[in-house]
Amino acid sequence: MSKSSLSDTGATAVAPAWPTHQRLKRRSKRLKAWFPYLLVAPAVLYLMLITLYPGVYAVIQSFHQVKFGPWQPVGLANYMRLFQDHQFWGAIWNTLVIGSISLVLQCVLALAIAFYAYRDPWVKGWRIIFLVPMLFMPSAVAFIYKLSFLDARVFADLLMRIGLIDGNIAYQSSIWMSRGILILADVWQWTPFLFIIFVAALQGQDEEVEEAARLDGASWYAIFWNISLPMMKPVIAVALILRAIDITTMFTNVFIITKGGPAFGTETISYFIYRTGFKFFDFGYASSASVIMLVITIIIAQLVVKRAFVSARS
């Protein structure tokens, strides 16, 4: 065999190696691009399983009369009945009142504590103490406040011992006192959640801007009010939305402390849904209330977040 034929044969044998290398390189690029999505895929599938499926199931159920027998299609009858239900609107009003007061108090307290924890060295060293209430189970906190104000009447007994009152306080006979217990329990437990977010937002800000304002003679309070706080608007909006969504689902405190009383004055939308579905077994009607509350929550969240981010950019 001649040398030319050997060289031709070798060239023919080696030639396919280059396209194979190119294909492997392309596959590695595709794998690198898709690898992050593959990592989060199990979590996304899990969340879709526990949120999307129950949500679709509730929407379908809301167009049926569902008790213990077969489902009966009723169209929009559950929604029409819901809009005429005074107890449903009362539950929305109670949720709005309790949630708004609780959210404002939590935001103000968390901002104040975050400011001092970020600036004051003594408070900064003890910031872990502020997180302790969030470590308790919500049911445990509810039982503590129930014992303190209702069953054991610890708070009323302390006031009687120091001579401020003559007898026990009938918290359950007053709507606003009962709401106050729910607000106090929620503020005590979940203010640390906002505190963590606000401290992280303060620590993530550019120190050069604050230092420049400090050199111009601005006080720490002026820096916080005019520089730090406007820069924190998107963070504050997201944090408040997260807490607002959680407050709309307030159930544990209401179930353990007040049971929705007195006279439905502390019945939140979550407790209304529970009472409708698991006491009167009207699951279709309860599902329609859940869908309405979901739509209201999404609309409010979108408006608040959009407005906060637009004002932060301007």
Side-chain angles (χ1 to χ4, degrees), residues 25 31 128 130-131 141 165 171 186 210 217 239 255 272 281 308:
K25 195 173 182 180
L31 184 61
I128 190 65
F130 300 117
L131 307 181
V141 174
I165 59 174
Y171 296 101
D186 194 70
E210 297 183 4
F255 179 76
F272 173 83
F281 304 106

Side-chain angles (χ1 to χ4, degrees), residues 123-137:
V123 180
K124 193 174 184 179
W126 295 93
R127 69 174 63 179
I128 190 65
I129 295 178
F130 300 117
L131 307 181
V132 172
M134 199 171 60
L135 303 179
F136 287 91
M137 291 288 294

Side-chain angles (χ1 to χ4, degrees), residues 76-149:
L76 298 174
N78 285 328
Y79 291 96
M80 298 300 295
R81 177 185 161 198
L82 197 65
F83 290 137
Q84 299 172 359
D85 192 342
H86 297 289
Q87 290 185 0
F88 170 74
W89 293 110
I92 289 183
W93 172 251
N94 293 333
T95 304
L96 182 63
V97 171
I98 296 172
S100 300
I101 298 174
S102 178
L103 202 58
V104 169
L105 291 176
Q106 289 177 39
C107 184
V108 172
L109 289 175
L111 280 172
I113 299 172
F115 171 75
Y116 285 106
Y118 177 61
R119 295 295 180 195
D120 195 301
W122 188 86
V123 180
K124 193 174 184 179
W126 295 93
R127 69 174 63 179
I128 190 65
I129 295 178
F130 300 117
L131 307 181
V132 172
M134 199 171 60
L135 303 179
F136 287 91
M137 291 288 294
S139 57
V141 174
F143 274 112
I144 289 172
Y145 276 84
K146 184 181 180 182
L147 289 172
S148 300
F149 289 93

